[in-house]
Amino acid sequence: MSGTAPAAPPDASAAPPGEPPTPPGEPRTRPPAPGGPPDRPSAPGEPSTYRSVFSAAPLAMAVVDREGLVVSANGTLGALLGSDPDALTGCPVADLLDLASDTRIWHAYREVLSGRQDRLHCTRRLKRSDGRRLWVQVTVAPLPGGEPGVLLSVADISARRELQARLRHLQMHDPVTLLPNRTLFFERLTAALDPEAYEHAGTGRIGLCYLDLDGFKAVNDTLGHRVGDRLLAAVAERLTRCADEAGHTRTGTPLVARLGGDEFALLVEDSTGTEQLADLAESVLAALQEPFDLAGQRLSVSASIGVVERHAAGTTPTQLMQAADTTLYWAKADGRARWTLFDPERNAHRMTRQALASTLRPAVERGEFALEYQPLVGMEDGRVRGVEALVRWNHPQFGILTPNRFIALAEEDGTIVPLGRWVLRTACRQARRWQLDHPGEPPLFVSVNVAVRQVWDSDLVADVAETLAETGLAPHLLQLELTESAVMGSAGRPLQALKALSDMGVRIAIDDFGTGYSNLAYLSRLPVSVLKLDGSFVRGFQYDDRDAAARPSPADEVIVEAMIQLAHRLGLTVTAECVETSAQATRLRRIGCDTGQGWLYSRPVPPDRISALLAAPGAQADAPKP
């Protein structure tokens, strides 16, 4: 034991673990006697100081034995519970404080009584003998000194809970309309979509009417935000009335909430089907049609409503709100002042459109596009004079897509510029290759569609000049097609570009001619070489020569003949689109059409099929249907 100091004698003033040290010269407090509150030694006849403190303490307390029965309670606990403290002796604490109704709290309480857990803190709502309810904070902890039993303390927190409730109400409700706000709405929506909320009761379905006011911004801008707020409050009252009326006829009243601005929602838990939601939407529209009288201002408003009703299982709040928002957009796009039901097929088309739009520009960079070519055939001799380049998207998910699926998207986001540049270069390169591979045949011209945005957002003249120089294709072997509406409205930069291209030797064609408003006087001043008649005129020629009763009015043929004659008077050539039968071709040839294009001659085909056609004797295109 060398090197070890002798143990110091125990300090009489040292306190056992968990107790404050006793000041020197004062006797240590005795452990509490079983069956009573903590005490200390006292002279005969002297009242116990700790017993006095226990009895007069402002905190409600009781000593409880290991069986959970009250051994002794102070007056504050009796007053809190509305009972005489002596009458509480022997009562189970679990009954007094409703601890057994919550499984988790009951288990923790039993663990404290058995000594396997240090303490318990919980909040309970009690009902006094006089019927008044109160919230209390309950603490159960072991008695000091290892004595059997526990010390119970109960604090009245009703005032604090009431304040918290008021603050939560302010936090969860809109100050203008007093309706639940966005936060509370999503809290209720999330709870309604929890499987525990619908697996064992209810219909297992959920419905939502999502609406906003049509033209509300104009009210704020013209009459001010004060009138706008009054209008919102009046709308909220009518929506609440609609919800209450719906609740009278069905189980449960819809939750009405203001989500922000002029957006409102009516949430229907345990909905019974789309009919219920449709009836609710109809009642809302009818309620809002009545004019509003707001402090001398008489206002009329309408609303657009998106309606969604579905199984709650597998639905998330985000999915439901996305569907409702999409459907609200449809209601506005369809004309406003109406409700629209969510349509999965329509939504699938929208989702596909969004998916295409998001991947369009990367697809150009990845080289997912290819060109097919449709022959343009001389009506007199049936020889292939040229081809129209038609772009295809080899989409990895949706397969081969034709231009009507993505060109409008490309024009919207500007992808048409790099895509159009690629089409131009690829088509010119292919036309030059055919020319070199078949030197004994007249060279084919290639026709390329051009969007107006390509003229505005890029230097189309420079792109064409660079492409022709790079590929070696002669300018007269390139034809650029623009739609009639685009060409007829050309002015400024577009018109200058068309003139520059025409001066370069490139041919300009008006596509779909006859479908729009044609200013014929303006047409005579445009640098246009070709008119392509819209296929709707040619389809009017499609009837059976043997059945006179089936023949349509000859008006289509008269109109087409007049357009052809006009074009020829202006020095233009005419191409007819959508030629599908020999009868159509015969009539078009008879009235002077120059070139035909359509399935009678060939569908759009890969470039090697055009090569095979050129290699055939005479390069006729009267049969090659793929």
Side-chain angles (χ1 to χ4, degrees):
M1 298 294 293
S2 60
T4 303
D11 185 356
S13 65
E19 294 187 20
T22 303
E26 292 192 14
R28 175 180 304 284
T29 302
R30 291 185 290 108
D39 202 356
R40 68 172 179 80
S42 56
E46 179 187 357
S48 169
T49 302
Y50 282 114
R51 183 175 296 278
S52 299
V53 171
F54 175 81
S55 301
L59 179 63
M61 295 186 294
V63 174
V64 182
D65 64 19
R66 292 295 183 182
E67 300 300 321
L69 303 178
V70 175
V71 175
S72 177
N74 68 0
T76 307
L77 181 61
L80 181 68
L81 299 180
S83 176
D84 185 279
D86 292 335
L88 298 177
T89 302
C91 292
V93 170
D95 294 343
L96 294 175
L97 302 181
D98 190 28
L99 300 181
S101 63
D102 186 301
T103 304
R104 182 179 58 83
I105 292 176
W106 171 247
H107 176 72
Y109 173 62
R110 300 299 300 174
E111 291 292 291
V112 174
L113 290 181
S114 63
R116 291 190 294 270
Q117 183 172 317
D118 288 340
R119 64 182 57 234
L120 166 67
H121 289 290
C122 64
T123 301
R124 308 302 297 153
R125 193 179 188 195
L126 309 180
K127 184 177 181 180
R128 290 166 35 110
S129 58
D130 59 6
R132 185 167 68 90
R133 291 187 176 276
L134 66 157
W135 286 95
V136 295
Q137 180 75 49
V138 177
T139 302
V140 182
L143 288 169
E147 291 296 324
V150 295
L151 181 63
L152 168 73
S153 60
V154 184
D156 185 355
I157 60 170
S158 299
R160 187 173 74 192
R161 291 285 299 218
E162 183 179 350
L163 176 60
Q164 290 174 343
R166 288 200 300 267
L167 292 176
R168 173 176 167 80
H169 186 275
L170 292 175
Q171 180 186 8
M172 295 293 185
H173 287 75
D174 171 54
V176 174
T177 64
L178 305 183
L179 292 176
N181 60 14
R182 190 180 191 89
T183 303
L184 181 54
F185 170 80
F186 275 98
E187 185 177 286
R188 281 283 299 273
L189 176 59
T190 302
L193 293 175
D194 190 314
E196 293 184 0
Y198 58 79
E199 282 184 345
H200 305 295
T203 64
R205 302 184 69 87
I206 193 163
L208 177 63
C209 290
Y210 182 39
L211 67 101
D212 73 1
L213 304 180
D214 300 324
F216 177 74
K217 184 178 184 299
V219 175
N220 272 342
D221 292 344
T222 57
L223 301 178
H225 288 273
R226 180 173 297 181
V227 175
D229 287 348
R230 289 175 179 170
L231 176 60
L232 292 174
V235 168
E237 290 179 4
R238 295 191 185 182
L239 295 180
T240 302
R241 187 165 64 247
C242 290
D244 291 341
E245 292 173 355
H248 290 323
T249 59
R250 300 183 185 268
T251 57
T253 300
L255 171 72
V256 183
R258 182 190 177 198
L259 302 187
D262 61 334
E263 297 177 0
F264 296 86
L266 290 89
L267 178 65
V268 180
E269 300 179 45
D270 290 325
S271 61
T272 57
T274 56
E275 182 181 354
Q276 178 187 4
L277 272 295
D279 290 344
L280 180 59
E282 288 284 1
S283 68
V284 168
L285 288 179
L288 297 181
Q289 283 178 353
E290 294 296 324
F292 292 84
D293 291 317
L294 305 174
Q297 295 284 348
R298 188 173 176 83
L299 299 176
S300 295
V301 298
S302 63
S304 299
I305 308 176
V307 178
V308 182
E309 202 279 340
R310 59 176 55 173
H311 287 287
T315 298
T316 66
T318 300
Q319 291 171 341
L320 189 68
M321 291 308 299
Q322 284 177 342
D325 185 63
T326 297
T327 313
L328 174 60
Y329 171 80
W330 293 343
K332 287 191 170 295
D334 292 342
R336 302 188 175 190
R338 67 190 64 218
W339 63 269
T340 300
L341 184 66
F342 181 77
D343 181 357
E345 291 186 4
R346 187 174 180 179
N347 186 62
H349 176 75
R350 180 186 69 89
M351 295 297 290
T352 301
R353 193 174 189 274
Q354 289 180 343
L356 294 178
S358 63
T359 58
L360 186 54
R361 189 175 293 273
V364 176
E365 299 170 356
R366 290 193 297 264
E368 293 180 2
F369 292 88
L371 293 185
E372 291 185 340
Y373 301 88
Q374 187 170 30
L376 299 167
V377 178
M379 300 297 292
E380 287 295 334
D381 55 13
R383 293 182 62 87
V384 179
R385 304 293 178 82
V387 292
E388 180 180 356
L390 299 169
V391 64
R392 304 289 186 258
W393 184 358
N394 297 317
H395 196 281
Q397 179 180 356
F398 303 114
I400 298 177
L401 303 179
T402 54
N404 63 312
R405 296 289 302 277
F406 59 85
I407 287 297
L409 297 175
E411 291 179 354
E412 288 177 11
D413 69 359
T415 307
I416 192 66
V417 173
L419 177 59
R421 188 176 290 124
W422 176 85
V423 170
L424 175 67
R425 290 177 177 171
T426 303
C428 289
R429 190 177 299 116
Q430 181 61 60
R432 178 59 174 163
R433 184 175 301 116
W434 284 324
Q435 184 180 8
L436 296 176
D437 291 344
H438 304 278
E441 294 291 334
L444 300 181
F445 70 86
V446 63
S447 191
V448 176
N449 290 277
V450 175
V452 175
R453 187 161 183 175
Q454 289 178 256
V455 183
W456 281 108
D457 293 1
S458 66
D459 192 342
L460 180 62
V461 177
D463 287 344
V464 169
E466 181 181 345
T467 299
L468 293 176
E470 175 188 321
T471 60
L473 187 69
H476 73 276
L477 295 178
L478 174 62
Q479 176 174 290
L480 300 180
E481 296 186 21
L482 289 87
T483 61
E484 177 182 355
S485 58
V487 175
M488 286 302 177
S490 296
R493 181 176 178 180
L495 182 57
Q496 294 172 2
L498 294 180
K499 288 182 177 179
L501 291 167
S502 180
D503 292 342
M504 191 186 302
V506 174
R507 298 197 297 181
I508 307 298
I510 298 180
D511 196 15
D512 300 329
F513 185 77
T515 57
Y517 173 74
S518 300
N519 186 327
L520 299 180
Y522 189 58
L523 177 62
S524 65
R525 296 192 293 269
L526 285 173
V528 175
S529 305
V530 180
L531 298 184
K532 296 190 71 176
L533 298 182
D534 185 71
S536 59
F537 293 105
V538 178
R539 279 190 290 269
F541 290 2
Q542 190 168 347
Y543 57 85
D544 190 344
D545 287 327
R546 296 168 298 177
D547 187 358
R551 295 185 182 183
S553 166
D556 283 334
E557 189 169 332
V558 172
I559 293 172
V560 172
E561 184 176 4
M563 287 192 292
I564 292 174
Q565 291 177 356
L566 173 64
H568 288 170
R569 290 288 185 92
L570 296 175
L572 309 177
T573 60
V574 179
T575 298
E577 299 180 301
C578 300
V579 181
E580 298 178 354
T581 68
S582 58
Q584 289 173 328
T586 299
R587 280 186 288 275
L588 287 168
R589 182 166 54 250
R590 186 178 65 241
I591 60 179
C593 185
D594 302 291
T595 310
Q597 176 182 0
W599 285 11
L600 173 65
Y601 308 110
S602 175
R603 299 185 184 189
V605 295
D608 59 331
R609 296 291 298 276
I610 301 296
S611 298
L613 184 64
L614 291 175
Q620 299 290 319
D622 55 355
K625 289 187 181 181

